[in-house]
Amino acid sequence: MLDWTQEQLAVITSPPNARLLVNAGPGTGKTAVACGRIAHLINHLHIAPSQVWLISFTRTAVHELRGRISSCLAQEHHALAVRIATIDAHAWAIHSGFNQDASLAGGYESNIRNVIELVRKHEGVFEYLSEVQHLFIDEAQDVVGTRCELLLEIISCLPESTGVTILADEAQAIYGFAEDECGMADNDNLPVAIRKYFPAFIEKYLTEIRRTNDRTLCRIFSEGRKIVSGCDNGIKQLDDI
Protein backbone atom coordinates (compact mmCIF):
# COMPACT_ATOMS: atom_id res chain seq x y z
CA MET A 1 0.00 0.00 0.00
CA LEU A 2 1.24 3.47 -0.86
CA ASP A 3 1.93 6.05 1.80
CA TRP A 4 -1.26 8.02 1.25
CA THR A 5 -1.81 11.47 2.72
CA GLN A 6 -5.00 12.27 4.61
CA GLU A 7 -6.19 14.34 1.62
CA GLN A 8 -5.68 11.40 -0.70
CA LEU A 9 -7.34 8.91 1.62
CA ALA A 10 -10.35 11.20 1.95
CA VAL A 11 -10.91 10.77 -1.79
CA ILE A 12 -9.95 7.10 -2.09
CA THR A 13 -12.16 5.90 0.78
CA SER A 14 -15.19 8.11 0.11
CA PRO A 15 -18.46 6.14 -0.09
CA PRO A 16 -18.94 4.35 -3.42
CA ASN A 17 -21.99 6.47 -4.26
CA ALA A 18 -20.24 9.77 -3.47
CA ARG A 19 -20.09 12.38 -6.20
CA LEU A 20 -16.76 14.16 -6.02
CA LEU A 21 -15.06 16.95 -7.90
CA VAL A 22 -11.36 16.61 -7.10
CA ASN A 23 -9.09 19.53 -7.92
CA ALA A 24 -5.45 18.47 -7.84
CA GLY A 25 -2.32 20.40 -8.67
CA PRO A 26 0.82 19.01 -10.34
CA GLY A 27 2.70 16.51 -8.26
CA THR A 28 -0.13 15.91 -5.80
CA GLY A 29 -0.82 12.36 -6.98
CA LYS A 30 -4.06 12.85 -8.93
CA THR A 31 -3.58 9.80 -11.15
CA ALA A 32 -2.39 7.63 -8.27
CA VAL A 33 -5.47 8.62 -6.27
CA ALA A 34 -7.78 7.78 -9.19
CA CYS A 35 -6.17 4.35 -9.48
CA GLY A 36 -6.25 3.91 -5.70
CA ARG A 37 -9.95 4.75 -5.56
CA ILE A 38 -10.76 2.29 -8.34
CA ALA A 39 -8.77 -0.40 -6.53
CA HIS A 40 -10.55 0.40 -3.26
CA LEU A 41 -13.96 0.05 -4.93
CA ILE A 42 -13.04 -3.31 -6.46
CA ASN A 43 -10.81 -4.80 -3.74
CA HIS A 44 -12.70 -3.72 -0.64
CA LEU A 45 -16.23 -2.72 -1.68
CA HIS A 46 -16.61 -5.60 -4.18
CA ILE A 47 -17.85 -3.52 -7.10
CA ALA A 48 -17.54 -5.53 -10.30
CA PRO A 49 -14.68 -4.18 -12.47
CA SER A 50 -16.95 -4.11 -15.52
CA GLN A 51 -19.26 -1.72 -13.68
CA VAL A 52 -16.49 0.85 -13.28
CA TRP A 53 -16.09 3.32 -16.14
CA LEU A 54 -13.10 5.59 -16.55
CA ILE A 55 -13.18 8.31 -19.20
CA SER A 56 -9.84 9.84 -20.05
CA PHE A 57 -8.72 12.51 -22.48
CA THR A 58 -6.23 10.66 -24.70
CA ARG A 59 -5.57 7.09 -25.83
CA THR A 60 -2.06 7.34 -24.38
CA ALA A 61 -3.53 8.12 -20.97
CA VAL A 62 -5.96 5.20 -21.30
CA HIS A 63 -3.07 2.77 -21.81
CA GLU A 64 -1.10 4.20 -18.87
CA LEU A 65 -4.11 4.16 -16.55
CA ARG A 66 -4.91 0.50 -17.21
CA GLY A 67 -1.36 -0.47 -16.34
CA ARG A 68 -1.34 1.58 -13.15
CA ILE A 69 -4.74 0.27 -12.06
CA SER A 70 -3.65 -3.34 -12.53
CA SER A 71 -0.72 -2.77 -10.17
CA CYS A 72 -3.14 -1.62 -7.45
CA LEU A 73 -5.61 -4.49 -7.71
CA ALA A 74 -5.56 -7.65 -5.64
CA GLN A 75 -6.14 -9.53 -8.88
CA GLU A 76 -4.35 -7.72 -11.69
CA HIS A 77 -6.45 -9.24 -14.47
CA HIS A 78 -9.51 -7.35 -13.15
CA ALA A 79 -8.03 -4.23 -14.76
CA LEU A 80 -8.91 -5.69 -18.15
CA ALA A 81 -12.61 -5.53 -17.26
CA VAL A 82 -12.63 -1.89 -16.17
CA ARG A 83 -14.21 0.19 -18.94
CA ILE A 84 -11.36 2.59 -19.69
CA ALA A 85 -11.62 4.66 -22.87
CA THR A 86 -11.60 8.16 -24.30
CA ILE A 87 -14.79 10.21 -24.49
CA ASP A 88 -15.04 9.55 -28.23
CA ALA A 89 -14.58 5.80 -27.77
CA HIS A 90 -17.29 5.61 -25.10
CA ALA A 91 -19.55 7.73 -27.32
CA TRP A 92 -19.02 5.43 -30.30
CA ALA A 93 -19.77 2.37 -28.15
CA ILE A 94 -23.14 3.91 -27.26
CA HIS A 95 -23.83 5.14 -30.79
CA SER A 96 -22.98 1.86 -32.53
CA GLY A 97 -24.71 -0.19 -29.86
CA PHE A 98 -28.05 1.59 -29.97
CA ASN A 99 -28.27 2.94 -33.51
CA GLN A 100 -28.09 0.38 -36.31
CA ASP A 101 -27.41 3.18 -38.78
CA ALA A 102 -24.45 4.53 -36.82
CA SER A 103 -21.63 5.85 -38.95
CA LEU A 104 -18.56 8.01 -38.46
CA ALA A 105 -19.02 9.50 -41.92
CA GLY A 106 -20.09 12.79 -40.35
CA GLY A 107 -17.06 12.96 -38.06
CA TYR A 108 -16.60 12.76 -34.32
CA GLU A 109 -18.54 15.95 -33.55
CA SER A 110 -21.57 14.64 -35.38
CA ASN A 111 -21.22 11.34 -33.52
CA ILE A 112 -21.17 13.17 -30.18
CA ARG A 113 -24.33 15.09 -31.11
CA ASN A 114 -26.11 11.87 -32.08
CA VAL A 115 -25.08 10.21 -28.82
CA ILE A 116 -26.39 13.16 -26.81
CA GLU A 117 -29.80 12.60 -28.39
CA LEU A 118 -29.61 8.87 -27.66
CA VAL A 119 -28.75 9.50 -24.02
CA ARG A 120 -31.70 11.89 -23.73
CA LYS A 121 -34.30 9.69 -25.37
CA HIS A 122 -33.34 6.02 -25.78
CA GLU A 123 -34.63 3.67 -23.08
CA GLY A 124 -31.97 1.13 -23.94
CA VAL A 125 -29.26 3.70 -23.20
CA PHE A 126 -30.88 4.42 -19.83
CA GLU A 127 -30.70 0.71 -18.98
CA TYR A 128 -27.11 0.52 -20.23
CA LEU A 129 -26.07 3.43 -18.00
CA SER A 130 -27.96 1.97 -15.02
CA GLU A 131 -25.36 -0.81 -14.90
CA VAL A 132 -22.55 1.66 -14.13
CA GLN A 133 -21.67 1.64 -10.43
CA HIS A 134 -18.96 4.29 -10.57
CA LEU A 135 -17.93 6.76 -13.25
CA PHE A 136 -14.48 8.36 -13.28
CA ILE A 137 -13.60 11.31 -15.50
CA ASP A 138 -9.96 12.32 -15.71
CA GLU A 139 -8.46 15.61 -16.99
CA ALA A 140 -11.89 17.19 -16.73
CA GLN A 141 -10.49 20.70 -17.09
CA ASP A 142 -9.96 19.99 -20.80
CA VAL A 143 -13.48 18.71 -21.50
CA VAL A 144 -15.42 21.46 -23.26
CA GLY A 145 -18.08 21.98 -25.93
CA THR A 146 -20.15 19.02 -27.11
CA ARG A 147 -18.05 16.53 -25.12
CA CYS A 148 -18.79 18.45 -21.95
CA GLU A 149 -22.48 18.47 -22.86
CA LEU A 150 -22.43 14.71 -23.44
CA LEU A 151 -20.84 13.95 -20.07
CA LEU A 152 -23.35 16.20 -18.31
CA GLU A 153 -26.17 14.26 -19.99
CA ILE A 154 -24.62 10.93 -18.99
CA ILE A 155 -24.22 12.05 -15.37
CA SER A 156 -27.82 13.26 -15.26
CA CYS A 157 -29.00 9.81 -16.44
CA LEU A 158 -27.01 7.80 -13.92
CA PRO A 159 -28.94 6.32 -10.97
CA GLU A 160 -28.55 8.18 -7.67
CA SER A 161 -26.67 5.16 -6.31
CA THR A 162 -23.96 5.52 -8.95
CA GLY A 163 -20.88 7.31 -7.71
CA VAL A 164 -18.94 9.81 -9.80
CA THR A 165 -15.34 10.97 -9.31
CA ILE A 166 -14.21 13.84 -11.51
CA LEU A 167 -10.53 14.77 -11.42
CA ALA A 168 -9.15 18.05 -12.72
CA ASP A 169 -6.46 20.66 -12.46
CA GLU A 170 -8.20 23.81 -13.59
CA ALA A 171 -4.92 25.74 -13.55
CA GLN A 172 -3.71 23.51 -16.41
CA ALA A 173 -6.73 23.79 -18.70
CA ILE A 174 -5.55 23.80 -22.32
CA TYR A 175 -8.85 25.01 -23.79
CA GLY A 176 -9.63 28.40 -22.37
CA PHE A 177 -12.05 29.06 -25.20
CA ALA A 178 -13.97 26.68 -27.40
CA GLU A 179 -16.32 27.51 -30.22
CA ASP A 180 -19.47 25.58 -30.88
CA GLU A 181 -20.93 25.01 -34.33
CA CYS A 182 -22.50 28.46 -34.28
CA GLY A 183 -19.16 30.11 -33.59
CA MET A 184 -20.15 31.18 -30.08
CA ALA A 185 -17.44 31.19 -27.41
CA ASP A 186 -18.09 28.77 -24.57
CA ASN A 187 -15.78 29.00 -21.56
CA ASP A 188 -17.45 26.32 -19.47
CA ASN A 189 -15.26 23.29 -19.04
CA LEU A 190 -16.62 20.27 -17.18
CA PRO A 191 -15.70 21.36 -13.61
CA VAL A 192 -17.35 24.76 -14.15
CA ALA A 193 -20.45 23.09 -15.59
CA ILE A 194 -20.60 20.60 -12.70
CA ARG A 195 -20.66 23.45 -10.19
CA LYS A 196 -23.38 25.16 -12.22
CA TYR A 197 -25.69 22.19 -12.86
CA PHE A 198 -24.80 19.66 -10.14
CA PRO A 199 -24.19 21.70 -6.96
CA ALA A 200 -24.51 18.57 -4.79
CA PHE A 201 -21.06 17.40 -5.89
CA ILE A 202 -18.57 17.52 -3.03
CA GLU A 203 -15.37 19.38 -3.84
CA LYS A 204 -12.11 17.99 -2.56
CA TYR A 205 -8.56 19.23 -3.05
CA LEU A 206 -5.18 17.55 -3.31
CA THR A 207 -2.65 20.18 -2.33
CA GLU A 208 0.36 18.38 -0.90
CA ILE A 209 3.18 17.93 -3.39
CA ARG A 210 4.54 14.36 -3.43
CA ARG A 211 6.79 14.63 -6.48
CA THR A 212 9.58 16.68 -4.91
CA ASN A 213 10.93 17.77 -1.53
CA ASP A 214 12.62 20.84 -2.98
CA ARG A 215 11.23 23.88 -1.17
CA THR A 216 11.92 26.24 -4.07
CA LEU A 217 10.04 24.04 -6.54
CA CYS A 218 7.18 23.69 -4.08
CA ARG A 219 6.95 27.47 -3.80
CA ILE A 220 7.06 27.89 -7.59
CA PHE A 221 4.30 25.32 -8.06
CA SER A 222 2.14 26.91 -5.38
CA GLU A 223 2.52 30.53 -6.42
CA GLY A 224 2.25 29.73 -10.11
CA ARG A 225 -0.94 27.78 -9.56
CA LYS A 226 -2.52 30.65 -7.64
CA ILE A 227 -1.69 33.09 -10.42
CA VAL A 228 -2.97 30.85 -13.24
CA SER A 229 -6.12 29.64 -11.51
CA GLY A 230 -6.96 32.93 -9.85
CA CYS A 231 -7.93 31.13 -6.66
CA ASP A 232 -6.56 30.63 -3.18
CA ASN A 233 -6.60 26.84 -3.25
CA GLY A 234 -2.88 26.66 -3.86
CA ILE A 235 -0.62 23.69 -3.36
CA LYS A 236 0.51 23.02 0.18
CA GLN A 237 4.23 23.50 0.50
CA LEU A 238 6.51 21.75 2.94
CA ASP A 239 5.86 22.98 6.47
CA ASP A 240 3.22 25.29 4.98
CA ILE A 241 5.85 27.80 3.92
Side-chain angles (χ1 to χ4, degrees):
M1 179 177 177
L2 295 177
D3 182 21
W4 301 112
T5 67
Q6 289 303 308
E7 287 179 328
Q8 292 172 330
L9 281 174
V11 175
I12 292 170
T13 62
S14 289
N17 62 344
R19 299 202 167 186
L20 308 177
L21 175 57
V22 183
N23 214 310
T28 57
K30 175 169 65 70
T31 302
V33 166
C35 297
R37 179 149 174 74
I38 290 172
H40 180 73
L41 293 173
I42 296 171
N43 290 341
H44 302 291
L45 302 181
H46 309 297
I47 290 179
S50 61
Q51 294 176 330
V52 176
W53 282 20
L54 194 159
I55 297 176
S56 191
F57 195 67
T58 67
R59 284 178 289 181
T60 300
V62 166
H63 179 73
E64 177 189 353
L65 284 164
R66 193 177 299 280
R68 293 185 66 169
I69 290 168
S70 68
S71 68
C72 297
L73 291 172
Q75 299 184 57
E76 292 186 8
H77 68 275
H78 282 167
L80 297 174
V82 178
R83 301 286 298 277
I84 309 174
T86 63
I87 298 171
D88 290 327
H90 275 292
W92 176 245
I94 295 173
H95 193 192
S96 61
F98 294 95
N99 181 356
Q100 62 181 1
D101 298 320
S103 170
L104 286 175
Y108 284 107
E109 290 297 325
S110 177
N111 177 48
I112 295 290
R113 283 290 177 196
N114 290 330
V115 175
I116 288 171
E117 290 305 309
L118 284 172
V119 172
R120 288 173 175 167
K121 300 175 181 179
H122 199 295
E123 288 295 331
V125 175
F126 294 155
E127 293 180 12
Y128 178 65
L129 293 175
S130 71
E131 297 177 358
V132 182
Q133 291 296 303
H134 206 96
L135 172 66
F136 287 81
I137 302 171
D138 194 22
E139 304 294 353
Q141 75 277 356
D142 295 328
V143 179
V144 297
T146 54
R147 287 165 179 78
C148 179
E149 184 179 350
L150 172 60
L151 293 186
L152 292 174
E153 291 291 345
I154 287 174
I155 292 169
S156 70
C157 287
L158 294 173
E160 290 184 5
S161 59
T162 299
V164 181
T165 301
I166 298 175
L167 303 111
D169 179 4
E170 293 177 81
Q172 295 194 66
I174 63 174
Y175 297 122
F177 296 89
E179 291 190 355
D180 62 19
E181 288 79 358
C182 299
M184 300 294 290
D186 180 4
N187 291 324
D188 284 0
N189 59 16
L190 185 59
V192 172
I194 287 293
R195 295 187 187 99
K196 183 183 297 184
Y197 300 113
F198 297 94
F201 267 71
I202 299 169
E203 292 206 44
K204 291 185 178 293
Y205 297 88
L206 302 181
T207 62
E208 185 174 339
I209 297 175
R210 309 302 303 280
R211 189 175 296 165
T212 179
N213 291 324
D214 186 283
R215 292 172 180 267
T216 300
L217 287 176
C218 287
R219 181 178 287 109
I220 290 172
F221 281 144
S222 181
E223 295 305 318
R225 180 175 171 77
K226 289 179 183 178
I227 292 170
V228 173
S229 65
C231 69
D232 293 327
N233 293 309
I235 299 170
K236 186 185 298 180
Q237 302 174 38
L238 295 175
D239 299 326
D240 291 326
I241 60 174

